[in-house]
Amino acid sequence: MADWLWLLWPMTAGLLMAIALVPLGQRVLKRNVVFADLAIAQWAALGAISGGQLLPGDWSHLAPVSALTFALVAVFLVHGVIRFAPDHREAMIGLLYVLGACTATLMVSDDPHGAQRLSEAFNGDLLWVTGTSVIPLAVIAGLVLVWCVILRGQVQEKLFLPLFALAVTVCVDQAGIYVVFASLIATPLLVGRMRARSAATAVAACFAGYTIGLLLSASYDLPAGPTIVVSIVACGLVAIAVLRKPAPNHASPSPADRFQRPGGECRVPDGS
């Protein structure tokens, strides 16, 4: 048993990422801008790569700041697309993703370790997360809980994209683009939307995927990122098979229910 204790930190990181990303993913699905999370994650990775490539050696520790800056730029662009070109938003946000991915490839084209840098950006390496790395994830999870449970109305709505950029930047740095995208979309869609279950149920299914993926990766020497993604999707599919959509309840909602919409996402009051 002691031989597996080193997995506690990666599993803790997986739990915190599930808590942070699932509620944000539910809001992404509600807005019907699924490509937005992938585009912002890609631009965060582009910022990290650019910081590592362009900043002098003494300043390379500022790469996370570069990643957040690029993520915020992507947020600004996504917001502009949603506002000024809503009929073409998915196509244009998809172009933002492709632009970010190709620019990252060009940035490392002359680097002998470029392929490794790109692989790290896409797949991450959550298996080797340490206690120090968990701290920013805990902060992000706490901020998302405050945003989801306490904030309401216009304040909640206006803080969504900046909080999304911050959460994606931190999580991409730890787990890679693919894991972040799967965490944002898989269980919020399969458990939250298609089975109308609460955010807590979607978080639990997502965390189960992290746990199974990490155990398989450690046991069979598999790459952590792709293994976690497959496990998260598999857990979502199992949830669809096991869970049944609740029957409609026409009774008056309880006070607690008024703060939830179908699918368990955080409620924004009407008129916000």
Side-chain angles (χ1 to χ4, degrees), residues 132-232:
T132 304
S133 304
V134 167
I135 295 174
L137 293 174
V139 173
I140 292 298
L143 290 175
V144 170
L145 287 175
V146 170
W147 172 83
C148 185
V149 175
I150 298 177
L151 299 182
R152 292 288 178 264
Q154 290 291 337
V155 175
Q156 187 189 63
E157 189 68 18
K158 289 179 179 179
L159 288 178
F160 167 67
L161 284 176
L163 179 61
F164 186 87
L166 181 61
V168 165
T169 299
V170 173
C171 293
V172 164
D173 182 56
Q174 300 293 339
I177 295 171
Y178 294 148
V179 171
V180 169
F181 182 76
S183 302
L184 286 165
I185 299 302
T187 59
L189 172 65
L190 299 173
V191 179
R193 306 284 286 193
M194 297 179 67
R195 283 295 178 262
R197 297 299 173 131
S198 68
T201 305
V203 168
C206 186
F207 176 56
Y210 275 99
T211 302
I212 294 170
L214 287 167
L215 289 172
L216 289 174
S217 177
S219 299
Y220 298 101
D221 196 25
L222 298 171
T227 307
I228 292 170
V229 169
V230 172
S231 298
I232 290 174

